Amino acid sequence: MADIRITGRMVNAIRITLDTNDHDAIRQQLSKTLQNASTAGALVVLESSVEQELISLIQLLLDLDVQPMAVQEGILAEQARAIQFPVIPAQGHGISSQLQEVKATKEQVVEAPAPATTVSTNAPVAAAPVIRHATSYHDEILRTGQCLVQNQGDIIITAGINSGSEVIASGNIHIYGSARGRVIAGAGGNSAARIFCHALEAELVSIAGTYCVADDIPAQHLKRPTHIYLNDQQELVFEALEF
């Protein structure tokens, strides 16, 4: 029989670090970066190495279709507290510490043609294809301090992941080895996402924000092949994989 554990909801957020208070430059750079990363509606934690006006910065981010949720303790904290905006410690619970993001060994992309647009001459212009789904394949062990992210699909790792590493996918995650780090599937709210691994030793597993830490993982599944998914009540279900 499957075991069920639910210990809370995980906040999946992106962290934006600013080294300039030129809001025009920030807007220009972020508009490109956020668009390419498909982060519409994402929660954002802010930190800054320079003084700047927080209210204007929050409005700038709202205009870019992301949701500022907090600032990190530091230069912006005094302004945040003055307007009763949340301040979190440097290592906020549920917010990933800054890891080195690595590129997958290989990526397979399924594209759909974008609808043609019309310019002033009324001639149809073909737009760039739209990515429907992407799968990242990684055939190296993900080492401590490394992070592998796929915002538009699945991740398949043919080796394991070490403690202190992190795998984040909007879709499913397959780990054909030991899963010792943080495994986050369904990022962005995809409750149909699933996690499969050959040996479950994770520090944390999460699907669509529902998470379980190492101490709460059912003992009979530790170091065992395991399939993890959400049931209709949005609770994590752990099932043994039989080979």
Side-chain angles (χ1 to χ4, degrees), residues 21 31-32 41 48 51 67 82 96 99-100 125 132 138 144-145 159 166 186 212 222 226 238-239:
N21 54 15
S31 61
K32 296 177 181 177
S48 180
E51 294 281 357
Q67 301 293 320
S96 303
L99 304 176
Q100 176 193 1
V125 177
R132 290 177 52 196
H138 198 60
T144 300
E166 188 170 76
C212 182
L222 291 175
T226 306
F238 296 77
E239 286 187 349

Side-chain angles (χ1 to χ4, degrees), residues 103-131:
K103 293 186 65 175
T105 308
K106 180 182 177 182
E107 185 171 277
Q108 182 179 19
V109 175
V110 177
E111 295 181 339
T117 58
T118 303
V119 294
S120 57
T121 60
N122 293 323
V125 177
V130 176
I131 295 177

